[in-house]
Amino acid sequence: FIQKGASIYKDKIGQKVASPLVTAIDSSLIENGWGSFRFDDEGVCAQKTTLIEEGVLKGFLHSRLTAAKAGVLSTGNGRRQSYRNLPIPRMTNTYIAEGSSELSEMIASVKKGLYAKTLGGGQVDPATGDFVFGVSEGYLIEDGKISIPVRGATLVGNGSDILEKIDMVGKKVEIKPGTCGKEDQEAPVGCGQPQLRISELVVGGTEA
């Protein structure tokens, strides 16, 4: 998407794309990680790649092919579903690094909001960064305290905009297993983050 000019992050290496509290990493070195391996499907050793460091875009994930086109080294992200498929650049275990805030502190700081404890499925448009995700388990936050559970909530927004609005980052990173679908191929991956406080976000749903 970057090399086709179909991503909002093209030509933004070295620029601020997120809150200074945000550092985003892709690593296939995590022990027992669902997206971990010793080398990728092009024979490149597993490694850790910092994508965003303190809010600044540092780099992209590459296969041998995209790395050659960009004049850089492969990041060890050339992956394929099976021998029948061509390797393509894709994530391994991707996560936001830990911060310094306690969850209790984050909740206490919110007058009215939503605690999205568990997210469900969703989708992202890489050309614009627009996304929609379902909330599998969520609760209202009222006057700094968790109150009633919420059913059927969705989170709607723009990834670039939301990254700028992260103003607190928790201490404990949790990475969950999943499957990444891309170009009609699937691959095991891990995805996670600590708890985050986002200052403003559109929450949709229906009122019972």
Side-chain angles (χ1 to χ4, degrees):
F1 290 110
I2 296 294
Q3 293 179 347
K4 290 178 181 178
S7 170
I8 58 172
Y9 292 109
K10 67 181 181 68
D11 302 323
K12 287 193 175 182
I13 294 290
Q15 296 184 30
K16 182 176 179 293
V17 296
S19 159
L21 299 177
V22 174
T23 292
I25 295 167
D26 181 87
S27 175
S28 50
L29 298 172
I30 296 175
E31 186 175 359
N32 297 322
W34 194 240
S36 294
F37 44 74
R38 295 185 66 181
F39 49 84
D40 72 2
D41 291 308
E42 296 179 310
V44 180
C45 289
Q47 54 192 278
K48 177 179 177 180
T49 304
T50 299
L51 303 171
I52 299 173
E53 185 174 16
E54 296 181 352
V56 176
L57 184 64
K58 291 295 184 178
F60 302 119
L61 302 180
H62 283 287
S63 64
R64 286 184 184 272
L65 178 62
T66 62
K69 288 181 179 180
V72 298
L73 296 176
S74 171
T75 56
N77 291 87
R79 307 186 65 193
R80 59 182 177 178
Q81 180 172 310
S82 76
Y83 70 92
R84 297 174 182 269
N85 305 104
L86 291 173
I88 54 177
R90 67 191 314 158
M91 63 186 283
T92 59
N93 302 295
T94 308
Y95 60 95
I96 292 177
E98 70 278 359
S100 59
S101 298
E102 298 285 355
L103 177 59
S104 58
E105 174 190 4
M106 297 163 74
I107 292 173
S109 68
V110 177
K111 182 172 179 59
K112 186 174 183 180
L114 175 72
Y115 174 34
K117 186 174 183 179
T118 307
L119 296 181
Q123 57 186 18
V124 181
D125 183 344
T128 63
D130 293 336
F131 67 82
V132 57
F133 280 93
V135 179
S136 299
E137 182 181 0
Y139 304 87
L140 281 182
I141 302 176
E142 298 178 296
D143 296 320
K145 296 180 181 179
I146 293 178
S147 60
I148 61 174
V150 174
R151 182 175 62 184
T154 57
L155 306 181
V156 182
N158 179 274
S160 181
D161 179 54
I162 294 304
L163 285 173
E164 294 276 5
K165 292 180 177 177
I166 294 173
D167 56 10
M168 295 181 82
V169 179
K171 292 182 176 181
K172 184 179 179 181
V173 177
E174 183 177 1
I175 300 177
K176 293 188 176 182
T179 302
C180 174
K182 182 180 180 183
E183 296 184 16
D184 297 322
Q185 295 188 45
E186 294 186 347
V189 298
C191 186
Q193 63 191 50
Q195 290 91 3
L196 308 172
R197 190 181 78 166
I198 299 169
S199 62
E200 185 179 8
L201 177 63
V202 174
V203 178
T206 58
E207 185 175 350

